[in-house]
Every structure is written in structure tokens, then in C-alpha cells.
Amino acid sequence: MAQASAVTCITRGSLKPEARNGIDIGQNLRSGGSCHASFNSSRKFPSKILENLSRNPSKAAKRTDYPVVRCAWRGVPVSESEGNLTNLKTCDPESLSYKLSGGPAVEFKLSDFELCSHVSVGLAGKGDEVLFEGVVRNPESPLKGMRVVLRQLASPRAQRWGHRALQVISNLVPQQHMYMSYATRVHGYILASGGSDQSSTLTLVHGYHGSYSLHQWLHSEDWMSELESRLSLDEEVARRVGDDRLGGPAAHRHLRLVRILMRDLLIGVNYLHSRGYAHTQLRLQNIQISEADKHVKVGLLGNAAAFPENSTDGTTTLGGSILKNADTRKLMIAYDMRCVGFIMAKIVLREFMDPSIFALLKNFLNQGHDPAGLREFLLPILNKGSPVDNVGIQILDRDGGAGWNLLASMLASKPADRIGCRDALRHPFLCGPMWRIQPSVELTRWSIGSTAVRIIEEYIYGPQQRIKLSKLVEIMERMNPNNNVKDWTKLVGGRWRLLYHTGRQLGLTVRQAAPAVLMGDVTLNFEVLSDASLSLNADIGFSVMEGENWPQDKKGKKGSLNVRASSVVLTDAERVYPEIDDKENSNRRQTKVDDNVSTPKRRSRQILPDEPGPASMPVVRLGYPGEIDMSMNLDFEIEDDAQFQRIVNEVQILIPQEMFDISSLVCGTYVDSRLMVLRGVTGSACLFVRSPRSGPVKLLT
């Protein structure tokens, strides 16, 4: 073995060159790092390194962010029909008769490679594999001069993983173009003789796609420019996602990168699904970007799980439950789509690269919350309630919140509700402005609600904005997909925050109140009691201001008003719209036509007749047979009953009458997993958004 001139120990990201006469891998591993060794002569296989690793596999490093990261994931159970792989303990050359590139897998020899001076051990806490880079020097090999990666698998489990990767890839090779474009290509294997047990060690020879995974690209300081350089972003690459522009503001560049990366990833995953496999280990550490063809590679497929056979009577045991083969296939695809959703969340919102922030997202989903409420949940965490300064939130808010819709579809709580790869590729969020995509009714409904939310957040309630909001609410009510009691009881349970109401609005700026009261969150909490019965609790938060400088200092003293209805009965009903006299309607249209003729500027406009609206619309009526209780909690002491009465009167003026007297809420006209509209006796509408937070959000430490 060649003597090493220098050894670079990498421990927690620090570089410490040390001059030694030999290589002491065991000591470096015990120090908690990985080792990159430089060899004077690199034509011989560093067998001493492999021998030390096979003896002490448990002493591997515990880090995952190495300069050379190619993570291999193991542990996915193999089906019973592939028991020969499960029971494998040694590598038999006859068991490697997989068909690659139209013929048997190429068996290489160590002498065919010139090893580079880069060795990585203990990747992802696994000490049973070693990776190093090499160049094919065999003049008779078609790969002569190509840089490849040699992945030596020491333990029986790692060898089973390698066998599985070879078996899966042999089934993907019939479509070589797709396989080589979106998956890491395996060129062959090396069998090295072992010790006295006559066992052999398997080494996979696969493609080299650079030293960085997508996880490391996103951790770079200037990640956007580096990724654009890696992808060689030009007009031709931009046209692949329906875009004809380059450069632009940071939000445009970020969105363009998201579309390129996500479309490549979805095409590769869809290719695996079409060939009958689920990846099962999609994560940023397993994804690389090829420098040659600029495509995203989904990594090696040692953990890929085969779909069950397409038989109507066949069943599969999964997690102790017996499922039909079709249902098992859907679950496997849904799991991959959930992983793709996590990848998209990290690419768009880079705050999720922080494990503590990402843990909040996973906890939110694990608690059973609907991902349609992700924006309401993440906004105070990522940017303290304002979407202006966060580029990722701006990207997801574009085009009527199309990004939030796609993210919610990928992370849906029920596997059956998750979007597939093909539908995701047709989603408007991943299609540039050059591609005209006809949105679905569900996406149109989502966009209308998102537009209303964005207008409300701007807090510019001029006459035009108020009219526009009223029109949007009416359109939402006409497109209500859940208009019966059964649908409402499924969706209405939980906490809803009041966003806007179309009735009278008074603030502290148009009058002088004593005392001044500043309103906080106004929420409704529904609890489902039976198929048509609910309990309703309204929580109204406010702050009482003292002194004349309260416009500058709005801390105040906290208080809350609670209104509770012990029983709310839901019944199906109809909302009848008032009829308009035909003569009056005709005169109104004639007036419009006359105005158009008399005004030269409007002659080019086409006056369309007003489309008649529906005479009635199905709604859900709210009845209150039980008692209604009201209580107030104050964090301070009041002087007398008169002050208490003034506070109550001021709160009653500032909030909608329907929230102060919840029995005034007479019908529900719209509800989905994100928004809800309730109408009062006066006809005013209250728009609510689902609020998953039950208390202040605290970051994990």
C-alpha cells in the first residue's frame, strides 16, 4: 500500500491538516469525523482503509454534511418474493446476473481504475460503506476516461442494499433515455475476495455527479447564483418550464429555479412509478444535479419498493393491515409524494433547512391539521405575520396562492387526497407564463379565497376594496362545494379566526373613545357533538389603552370576552335572493347603453347584458336551542362598574354584532378546509380562516 503524504481530518466542518507516515483511520473515526486521504500512488486499492472499516463499522462518524455526500439508505423491507436478497450474507458472482444496457452487468477489476485522492467514510452514520472517486483507465472499456464513484459495501445489510439497487436498475434499463436522465446510472460492480470465510465484498460502480447534493447546494451562502451556474441557466433551460425570461428580481429567479428542480424531480419520480417502483427515500441528501446533462438525479435505488401485482383479488399486508393491491399501490405513491412535498417546502422556504423550524412543520402535520392552513400557521413563524419581506411566501402567494395549493395537495393528511406526479406537472405553479394552463374548479375556488385574504391583509379598506371583497365573497358562496349538513360537520370543527365582515366598521381613528380599546384576534371554536349538533365558543381578545400616547405605545392591558352556545343545531335550508323587477332591470341596462353612446371614450366597449343570478342557494341554517353564556376576563383591576360597562360597550362597537351576539349568526354559506363564510340576520357576511394555533408558537431548541 502506498504511504500517505498528508491526511485531512474533517471534524464538525473544521479542516486540520496533519503530516503522518501512515493512515490511522480508527483514531480519526473515534474523534467523530470522516477522513479524506491523499495518496502518492493511487492505482492500488487502499485495502487497509477497508479492512479497518470492516473491523470497526460501529465507530463511524455521526455527521451527515460532508463535502462529498452520496447518501445510501437501507432498511426498507423486501417483499417475500425476494427472500433470496434478504437471506444473502455473502456476494456470489452468479447472483449478479442482472441485465444492464442489454447485457450482463459489467464486472470491473480494481486495476481498471485510477483512484482519486478523495475518500469518504462513515456517511450518514453508516460505517459499512466507503466512497471514493476514480477514473476508468482500461483502454478496452467503453467508459475510458470517465470519472465514476466506487461505493464499497462491507456489511451483509449493505450488500443486500447493493443487490437490490442492481435488481431495480436492471428493470429500468429498457427505457435507457429516461433512466440515464433522471436516475444515478450504475455501470457495474467489483467483487473483491474476503478473508478466511471465502466471502466477497461488493463494490458498486456508478455515475459521478459532483461533490454536492441538493442539500448542500441550498446551504451555500450564494446558493441561487451557484445553482444557476450549475444548471447553466439560459433561454433553452428556461423554456423547459415555460419561461422566456432570464434574470430579474430575486423572487423571479427563485421561482424559476423551483420550477426547474421540481419538474425534473417529478419526472424522475413519475418514471419510477410508471415502471412499478416507489423510491421510499426521497430527500435532499439523495438528490444531485448532473454537471453533464443538467438534470436532477434521484440517487441510487437500493431502497426502492416494488408495487404489488395488478390483480383484483390480491391483497398485501402493510403495517399489520390487509389491504388490496390497488390500495397498497396508492399508499406507496402517496408516501413518495409526501416526501416530494417536503423537498419543495425546503426549496421554496429555505427557513425549513433549520431542523427546529422543519420540526414545527412535521409536528403540525402529525397532529392531524389540514395542510390547507399552512399559510396561517407559518406566517407568524417565518416572518412575524408579514409576507412582504419573505421571498418564499411571496412565491407561494403568486397567482392566487397556487404554490400553497400545490404544497397542500402534496402534504394532504389522507393519502388518497394527495396529488400525483402527472397532475403536479400540470399544476399552474410549476408552469411558466408561456404555457396556458386551464385551472380546475377547485384551484379557481382556492385562488378567489386567496385573493380575498391578500386584499384584507393590505388593510386598505377604501370603497373599491370593500366592493371587491363583497363580490369575491358572493362568488365564493355560489361556488360552495359543501352545502349540506353532512359536509359541514366534517369540516367546521376546529378554530376559526375572523378576517373580515361586510357590515359597518368603526375604528379608533374616527372618534375619541374613553377608554380606547384595541381589538385582537376574534375566533370561533366549533366542537362537533353529533351528526347535526355543535357547540360554539367565541373568544374575543382586546387591549385596553391608557393615557394619551396610546397611538405610539399599543401594549395596553389584556382582556378577553367569551361567548358560548352549548348547542347549535344544523339544518339544510335555502337562501332566497330578492327578485328584481324586469322593467327596472331593463331601464338600468338602457341607462348604461345611453351613457355609452353619449360618452365618446366608451364607444369601443362592448356592453354585455347582466347574467341573471340564481333565485336561491342551498345553505346550512344555525339554530340555538340551548343557553348562551357570556363572560369577561381582565388581566387588571377595574375601578368601578361604570368602567367595566364602558369597556363592554367599546368592544361591542368595534366588533361585528354577530360576534357579540352569536345567536345572530343564522346561516353558513361557504366552508372548505381553509375558509368559512357565515351570514347574520342583517345580511352581512363574516369571513373566517382556519387557525390551527391553540396558543403562542415557540421555536424548538
Side-chain angles (χ1 to χ4, degrees), residues 297-597:
K297 308 295 181 180
V298 295
L300 296 175
L301 305 175
N303 270 350
F307 294 149
E309 298 180 358
N310 294 326
S311 60
T312 56
D313 299 332
T315 59
T316 304
T317 302
L318 185 64
S321 303
I322 299 178
L323 302 175
K324 294 182 179 180
N325 288 346
D327 296 336
T328 305
R329 178 189 179 95
K330 293 179 181 179
L331 286 176
M332 297 169 70
I333 294 176
Y335 181 79
D336 273 358
M337 295 308 300
R338 180 182 174 92
C339 296
V340 173
F342 285 142
I343 292 174
M344 174 180 162
K346 290 185 176 181
I347 296 176
V348 179
L349 299 168
R350 294 187 63 250
E351 290 84 357
F352 285 137
M353 298 301 292
D354 184 353
S356 63
I357 303 295
F358 186 66
L360 292 177
L361 171 63
K362 298 188 71 174
N363 291 338
F364 170 82
L365 298 175
N366 292 337
Q367 291 173 3
H369 295 298
D370 196 308
L374 266 177
R375 188 180 187 274
E376 177 75 6
F377 173 73
L378 294 176
L379 197 60
I381 300 175
L382 300 183
N383 211 32
K384 297 182 180 180
S386 174
V388 177
D389 299 329
N390 193 299
V391 176
I393 293 180
Q394 293 179 29
I395 292 174
L396 295 174
D397 282 342
R398 289 191 172 194
D399 300 327
W404 294 109
N405 179 265
L406 178 59
L407 192 60
S409 301
M410 290 180 175
L411 300 176
S413 302
K414 297 181 180 179
D417 296 338
R418 291 177 196 160
I419 194 172
C421 290
R422 294 184 180 181
D423 293 334
L425 287 168
R426 301 188 189 102
H427 198 278
F429 179 72
L430 297 181
C431 299
M434 294 178 61
W435 296 344
R436 293 185 178 182
I437 304 298
Q438 186 68 24
S440 62
V441 176
E442 188 266 339
L443 182 58
T444 303
R445 190 184 302 115
W446 180 286
S447 300
I448 294 173
S450 298
T451 303
V453 173
R454 292 298 308 279
I455 294 175
I456 294 169
E457 288 179 347
E458 292 177 359
Y459 201 74
I460 305 175
Y461 295 156
Q464 295 299 326
Q465 285 82 358
R466 293 182 63 84
I467 294 174
K468 185 181 294 185
L469 282 172
S470 299
K471 293 294 184 182
L472 290 175
V473 171
E474 292 180 3
I475 294 173
M476 290 171 57
E477 291 174 335
R478 295 187 181 186
M479 299 180 67
N480 183 23
N482 308 297
N483 49 22
N484 55 62
V485 174
K486 184 178 179 180
D487 295 336
W488 273 74
T489 53
K490 289 181 179 179
L491 295 171
V492 78
R495 185 171 182 261
W496 299 83
R497 183 172 64 89
L498 178 65
L499 280 180
Y500 182 79
H501 70 101
T502 58
R504 185 189 62 170
Q505 295 186 7
L506 294 177
L508 296 176
T509 57
V510 296
R511 58 191 179 84
Q512 295 181 355
V517 176
L518 183 65
M519 300 307 302
D521 287 343
V522 179
T523 61
L524 290 181
N525 293 273
F526 288 94
E527 183 180 354
V528 180
L529 302 179
S530 63
D531 294 339
S533 179
L534 309 170
S535 66
L536 176 58
N537 189 9
D539 291 324
I540 304 167
F542 58 88
S543 299
V544 179
M545 307 298 172
E546 294 183 350
E548 299 179 355
N549 296 328
W550 65 265
Q552 290 76 27
D553 184 10
K554 294 185 174 60
K555 293 181 180 180
K557 298 179 179 180
K558 303 295 182 181
S560 63
L561 180 66
N562 182 270
V563 184
R564 178 176 177 79
S566 59
S567 177
V568 179
V569 179
L570 304 182
T571 55
D572 292 326
E574 285 190 357
R575 180 188 177 195
V576 180
Y577 289 93
E579 296 183 1
I580 300 177
D581 187 18
D582 294 340
K583 184 177 180 180
E584 181 184 353
N585 194 16
S586 177
N587 294 335
R588 186 185 304 171
R589 295 179 186 175
Q590 185 65 32
T591 303
K592 290 183 179 180
V593 175
D594 294 342
D595 292 342
N596 180 48
V597 173

Side-chain angles (χ1 to χ4, degrees), residues 118-426:
H118 302 289
V119 180
S120 296
V121 296
L123 294 179
K126 303 294 190 299
D128 51 3
E129 61 182 56
V130 183
L131 287 83
F132 35 140
E133 302 168 11
V135 179
V136 181
R137 295 305 184 191
N138 186 356
E140 300 179 358
S141 174
L143 306 177
K144 180 183 177 181
M146 180 181 294
R147 182 183 290 266
V148 295
V149 176
L150 281 74
R151 184 186 295 265
Q152 197 269 349
L153 308 172
S155 68
R157 185 179 66 171
Q159 293 178 15
R160 288 196 301 269
W161 180 88
H163 273 259
R164 178 62 176 167
L166 289 173
Q167 185 185 54
V168 172
I169 292 172
S170 65
N171 296 330
L172 301 179
V173 164
Q175 295 182 355
Q176 293 189 27
H177 175 70
M178 292 291 295
Y179 159 65
M180 291 186 292
S181 297
Y182 300 102
T184 301
R185 184 179 181 183
V186 176
H187 303 291
Y189 61 91
I190 300 173
L191 285 179
S193 300
S196 58
D197 56 353
Q198 300 299 326
S199 62
S200 300
T201 301
L202 176 64
T203 301
L204 294 183
V205 180
H206 58 82
Y208 171 80
H209 302 302
S211 299
Y212 274 14
S213 65
L214 186 55
H215 182 268
Q216 291 173 303
W217 284 113
L218 294 178
H219 270 299
S220 301
E221 184 176 356
D222 192 12
W223 65 276
M224 192 179 300
S225 299
E226 292 181 2
L227 273 178
E228 288 177 342
S229 176
R230 180 71 172 184
L231 294 168
S232 298
L233 193 57
D234 53 12
E235 294 183 358
E236 181 179 357
V237 177
R239 279 194 291 268
R240 281 168 34 193
V241 295
D243 202 344
D244 57 349
R245 298 169 297 175
L246 296 177
H252 291 174
R253 295 169 58 197
H254 193 167
L255 178 58
R256 192 179 301 114
L257 283 175
V258 170
R259 286 171 173 167
I260 293 174
L261 296 175
M262 290 303 301
R263 291 191 68 86
D264 261 14
L265 177 60
L266 286 168
I267 291 173
V269 176
N270 181 65
Y271 166 63
L272 289 178
H273 293 171
S274 65
R275 300 298 297 176
Y277 289 97
H279 193 287
T280 74
Q281 285 292 344
L282 287 167
R283 37 186 288 166
L284 292 176
Q285 291 86 343
N286 295 343
I287 298 174
Q288 291 182 313
I289 302 175
S290 174
E291 189 176 3
D293 59 5
K294 315 302 179 185
H295 279 300
V296 170
K297 308 295 181 180
V298 295
L300 296 175
L301 305 175
N303 270 350
F307 294 149
E309 298 180 358
N310 294 326
S311 60
T312 56
D313 299 332
T315 59
T316 304
T317 302
L318 185 64
S321 303
I322 299 178
L323 302 175
K324 294 182 179 180
N325 288 346
D327 296 336
T328 305
R329 178 189 179 95
K330 293 179 181 179
L331 286 176
M332 297 169 70
I333 294 176
Y335 181 79
D336 273 358
M337 295 308 300
R338 180 182 174 92
C339 296
V340 173
F342 285 142
I343 292 174
M344 174 180 162
K346 290 185 176 181
I347 296 176
V348 179
L349 299 168
R350 294 187 63 250
E351 290 84 357
F352 285 137
M353 298 301 292
D354 184 353
S356 63
I357 303 295
F358 186 66
L360 292 177
L361 171 63
K362 298 188 71 174
N363 291 338
F364 170 82
L365 298 175
N366 292 337
Q367 291 173 3
H369 295 298
D370 196 308
L374 266 177
R375 188 180 187 274
E376 177 75 6
F377 173 73
L378 294 176
L379 197 60
I381 300 175
L382 300 183
N383 211 32
K384 297 182 180 180
S386 174
V388 177
D389 299 329
N390 193 299
V391 176
I393 293 180
Q394 293 179 29
I395 292 174
L396 295 174
D397 282 342
R398 289 191 172 194
D399 300 327
W404 294 109
N405 179 265
L406 178 59
L407 192 60
S409 301
M410 290 180 175
L411 300 176
S413 302
K414 297 181 180 179
D417 296 338
R418 291 177 196 160
I419 194 172
C421 290
R422 294 184 180 181
D423 293 334
L425 287 168
R426 301 188 189 102

